[in-house]
PDB file of all heavy atoms in Angstrom:
ATOM      1  N   HIS A  95      92.696 171.144 108.313  1.00  0.00           N
ATOM      2  CA  HIS A  95      91.242 171.083 108.351  1.00  0.00           C
ATOM      3  C   HIS A  95      90.698 170.105 107.313  1.00  0.00           C
ATOM      4  O   HIS A  95      89.674 169.446 107.518  1.00  0.00           O
ATOM      5  CB  HIS A  95      90.674 172.478 108.105  1.00  0.00           C
ATOM      6  CG  HIS A  95      89.172 172.525 108.100  1.00  0.00           C
ATOM      7  ND1 HIS A  95      88.409 172.045 109.134  1.00  0.00           N
ATOM      8  CD2 HIS A  95      88.303 172.992 107.163  1.00  0.00           C
ATOM      9  CE1 HIS A  95      87.119 172.227 108.861  1.00  0.00           C
ATOM     10  NE2 HIS A  95      87.027 172.786 107.666  1.00  0.00           N
ATOM     11  N   SER A  96      91.406 169.996 106.168  1.00  0.00           N
ATOM     12  CA  SER A  96      90.971 169.069 105.126  1.00  0.00           C
ATOM     13  C   SER A  96      91.272 167.621 105.478  1.00  0.00           C
ATOM     14  O   SER A  96      90.749 166.711 104.852  1.00  0.00           O
ATOM     15  CB  SER A  96      91.653 169.422 103.799  1.00  0.00           C
ATOM     16  OG  SER A  96      93.054 169.250 103.907  1.00  0.00           O
ATOM     17  N   TRP A  97      92.110 167.403 106.477  1.00  0.00           N
ATOM     18  CA  TRP A  97      92.469 166.039 106.902  1.00  0.00           C
ATOM     19  C   TRP A  97      91.533 165.658 108.038  1.00  0.00           C
ATOM     20  O   TRP A  97      91.834 165.833 109.210  1.00  0.00           O
ATOM     21  CB  TRP A  97      93.927 166.000 107.352  1.00  0.00           C
ATOM     22  CG  TRP A  97      94.462 164.617 107.525  1.00  0.00           C
ATOM     23  CD1 TRP A  97      94.931 163.800 106.570  1.00  0.00           C
ATOM     24  CD2 TRP A  97      94.596 163.893 108.756  1.00  0.00           C
ATOM     25  NE1 TRP A  97      95.352 162.614 107.102  1.00  0.00           N
ATOM     26  CE2 TRP A  97      95.156 162.642 108.444  1.00  0.00           C
ATOM     27  CE3 TRP A  97      94.292 164.177 110.092  1.00  0.00           C
ATOM     28  CZ2 TRP A  97      95.420 161.691 109.398  1.00  0.00           C
ATOM     29  CZ3 TRP A  97      94.549 163.220 111.048  1.00  0.00           C
ATOM     30  CH2 TRP A  97      95.111 162.002 110.699  1.00  0.00           C
ATOM     31  N   GLU A  98      90.346 165.171 107.701  1.00  0.00           N
ATOM     32  CA  GLU A  98      89.315 164.944 108.685  1.00  0.00           C
ATOM     33  C   GLU A  98      89.320 163.500 109.146  1.00  0.00           C
ATOM     34  O   GLU A  98      89.426 162.582 108.339  1.00  0.00           O
ATOM     35  CB  GLU A  98      87.940 165.302 108.118  1.00  0.00           C
ATOM     36  CG  GLU A  98      87.821 166.788 107.774  1.00  0.00           C
ATOM     37  CD  GLU A  98      86.445 167.131 107.246  1.00  0.00           C
ATOM     38  OE1 GLU A  98      85.713 166.196 106.863  1.00  0.00           O
ATOM     39  OE2 GLU A  98      86.119 168.307 107.231  1.00  0.00           O
ATOM     40  N   ASP A  99      89.161 163.335 110.441  1.00  0.00           N
ATOM     41  CA  ASP A  99      89.209 161.998 111.028  1.00  0.00           C
ATOM     42  C   ASP A  99      87.792 161.443 111.111  1.00  0.00           C
ATOM     43  O   ASP A  99      87.232 161.270 112.179  1.00  0.00           O
ATOM     44  CB  ASP A  99      89.847 162.080 112.411  1.00  0.00           C
ATOM     45  CG  ASP A  99      90.192 160.705 112.948  1.00  0.00           C
ATOM     46  OD1 ASP A  99      90.022 159.719 112.226  1.00  0.00           O
ATOM     47  OD2 ASP A  99      90.617 160.628 114.103  1.00  0.00           O
ATOM     48  N   CYS A 100      87.204 161.174 109.937  1.00  0.00           N
ATOM     49  CA  CYS A 100      85.834 160.673 109.917  1.00  0.00           C
ATOM     50  C   CYS A 100      85.739 159.284 110.521  1.00  0.00           C
ATOM     51  O   CYS A 100      84.717 158.910 111.090  1.00  0.00           O
ATOM     52  CB  CYS A 100      85.316 160.646 108.480  1.00  0.00           C
ATOM     53  SG  CYS A 100      85.294 162.285 107.694  1.00  0.00           S
ATOM     54  N   GLU A 101      86.815 158.478 110.379  1.00  0.00           N
ATOM     55  CA  GLU A 101      86.768 157.118 110.903  1.00  0.00           C
ATOM     56  C   GLU A 101      86.605 157.105 112.409  1.00  0.00           C
ATOM     57  O   GLU A 101      85.995 156.219 112.977  1.00  0.00           O
ATOM     58  CB  GLU A 101      88.032 156.373 110.504  1.00  0.00           C
ATOM     59  CG  GLU A 101      88.125 156.046 109.027  1.00  0.00           C
ATOM     60  CD  GLU A 101      88.693 157.213 108.242  1.00  0.00           C
ATOM     61  OE1 GLU A 101      89.017 158.224 108.877  1.00  0.00           O
ATOM     62  OE2 GLU A 101      88.790 157.115 107.013  1.00  0.00           O
ATOM     63  N   GLU A 102      87.199 158.122 113.106  1.00  0.00           N
ATOM     64  CA  GLU A 102      87.071 158.159 114.553  1.00  0.00           C
ATOM     65  C   GLU A 102      85.616 158.320 114.960  1.00  0.00           C
ATOM     66  O   GLU A 102      85.147 157.717 115.912  1.00  0.00           O
ATOM     67  CB  GLU A 102      87.916 159.297 115.117  1.00  0.00           C
ATOM     68  CG  GLU A 102      87.858 159.349 116.647  1.00  0.00           C
ATOM     69  CD  GLU A 102      88.711 160.471 117.210  1.00  0.00           C
ATOM     70  OE1 GLU A 102      89.408 161.120 116.417  1.00  0.00           O
ATOM     71  OE2 GLU A 102      88.649 160.673 118.427  1.00  0.00           O
ATOM     72  N   ALA A 103      84.866 159.164 114.192  1.00  0.00           N
ATOM     73  CA  ALA A 103      83.457 159.343 114.495  1.00  0.00           C
ATOM     74  C   ALA A 103      82.693 158.037 114.300  1.00  0.00           C
ATOM     75  O   ALA A 103      81.816 157.686 115.092  1.00  0.00           O
ATOM     76  CB  ALA A 103      82.872 160.443 113.605  1.00  0.00           C
ATOM     77  N   VAL A 104      83.036 157.307 113.243  1.00  0.00           N
ATOM     78  CA  VAL A 104      82.363 156.033 113.001  1.00  0.00           C
ATOM     79  C   VAL A 104      82.652 155.049 114.119  1.00  0.00           C
ATOM     80  O   VAL A 104      81.757 154.362 114.618  1.00  0.00           O
ATOM     81  CB  VAL A 104      82.804 155.458 111.647  1.00  0.00           C
ATOM     82  CG1 VAL A 104      82.193 154.078 111.433  1.00  0.00           C
ATOM     83  CG2 VAL A 104      82.401 156.392 110.513  1.00  0.00           C
ATOM     84  N   LEU A 105      83.916 154.971 114.539  1.00  0.00           N
ATOM     85  CA  LEU A 105      84.262 154.028 115.596  1.00  0.00           C
ATOM     86  C   LEU A 105      83.575 154.399 116.896  1.00  0.00           C
ATOM     87  O   LEU A 105      83.052 153.540 117.611  1.00  0.00           O
ATOM     88  CB  LEU A 105      85.777 154.000 115.802  1.00  0.00           C
ATOM     89  CG  LEU A 105      86.266 153.061 116.908  1.00  0.00           C
ATOM     90  CD1 LEU A 105      85.882 151.623 116.590  1.00  0.00           C
ATOM     91  CD2 LEU A 105      87.763 153.180 117.098  1.00  0.00           C
ATOM     92  N   ASP A 106      83.540 155.711 117.229  1.00  0.00           N
ATOM     93  CA  ASP A 106      82.849 156.133 118.450  1.00  0.00           C
ATOM     94  C   ASP A 106      81.374 155.748 118.394  1.00  0.00           C
ATOM     95  O   ASP A 106      80.789 155.319 119.392  1.00  0.00           O
ATOM     96  CB  ASP A 106      82.991 157.645 118.639  1.00  0.00           C
ATOM     97  CG  ASP A 106      84.425 158.040 118.965  1.00  0.00           C
ATOM     98  OD1 ASP A 106      85.179 157.158 119.421  1.00  0.00           O
ATOM     99  OD2 ASP A 106      84.761 159.207 118.762  1.00  0.00           O
ATOM    100  N   GLY A 107      80.779 155.887 117.196  1.00  0.00           N
ATOM    101  CA  GLY A 107      79.378 155.523 117.068  1.00  0.00           C
ATOM    102  C   GLY A 107      79.149 154.041 117.244  1.00  0.00           C
ATOM    103  O   GLY A 107      78.140 153.616 117.810  1.00  0.00           O
ATOM    104  N   VAL A 108      80.080 153.231 116.732  1.00  0.00           N
ATOM    105  CA  VAL A 108      79.961 151.778 116.899  1.00  0.00           C
ATOM    106  C   VAL A 108      80.073 151.397 118.368  1.00  0.00           C
ATOM    107  O   VAL A 108      79.321 150.571 118.885  1.00  0.00           O
ATOM    108  CB  VAL A 108      81.037 151.058 116.064  1.00  0.00           C
ATOM    109  CG1 VAL A 108      81.053 149.575 116.388  1.00  0.00           C
ATOM    110  CG2 VAL A 108      80.771 151.267 114.583  1.00  0.00           C
ATOM    111  N   LEU A 109      81.010 152.024 119.071  1.00  0.00           N
ATOM    112  CA  LEU A 109      81.243 151.651 120.464  1.00  0.00           C
ATOM    113  C   LEU A 109      80.109 152.089 121.384  1.00  0.00           C
ATOM    114  O   LEU A 109      79.808 151.398 122.356  1.00  0.00           O
ATOM    115  CB  LEU A 109      82.576 152.250 120.931  1.00  0.00           C
ATOM    116  CG  LEU A 109      83.823 151.731 120.201  1.00  0.00           C
ATOM    117  CD1 LEU A 109      85.065 152.413 120.738  1.00  0.00           C
ATOM    118  CD2 LEU A 109      83.939 150.224 120.346  1.00  0.00           C
ATOM    119  N   ASP A 110      79.493 153.256 121.078  1.00  0.00           N
ATOM    120  CA  ASP A 110      78.420 153.699 121.982  1.00  0.00           C
ATOM    121  C   ASP A 110      77.022 153.297 121.488  1.00  0.00           C
ATOM    122  O   ASP A 110      76.024 153.635 122.119  1.00  0.00           O
ATOM    123  CB  ASP A 110      78.481 155.222 122.177  1.00  0.00           C
ATOM    124  CG  ASP A 110      78.283 155.986 120.869  1.00  0.00           C
ATOM    125  OD1 ASP A 110      77.722 155.424 119.904  1.00  0.00           O
ATOM    126  OD2 ASP A 110      78.689 157.161 120.821  1.00  0.00           O
ATOM    127  N   GLY A 111      76.949 152.591 120.343  1.00  0.00           N
ATOM    128  CA  GLY A 111      75.684 152.049 119.886  1.00  0.00           C
ATOM    129  C   GLY A 111      74.885 152.933 118.971  1.00  0.00           C
ATOM    130  O   GLY A 111      73.807 152.538 118.517  1.00  0.00           O
TER     131      GLY A 111
END
Side-chain angles (χ1 to χ4, degrees):
H95 179 54
S96 64
W97 192 82
E98 296 181 344
D99 192 5
C100 299
E101 290 85 1
E102 182 179 355
V104 176
L105 179 61
D106 291 339
V108 172
L109 296 179
D110 61 21

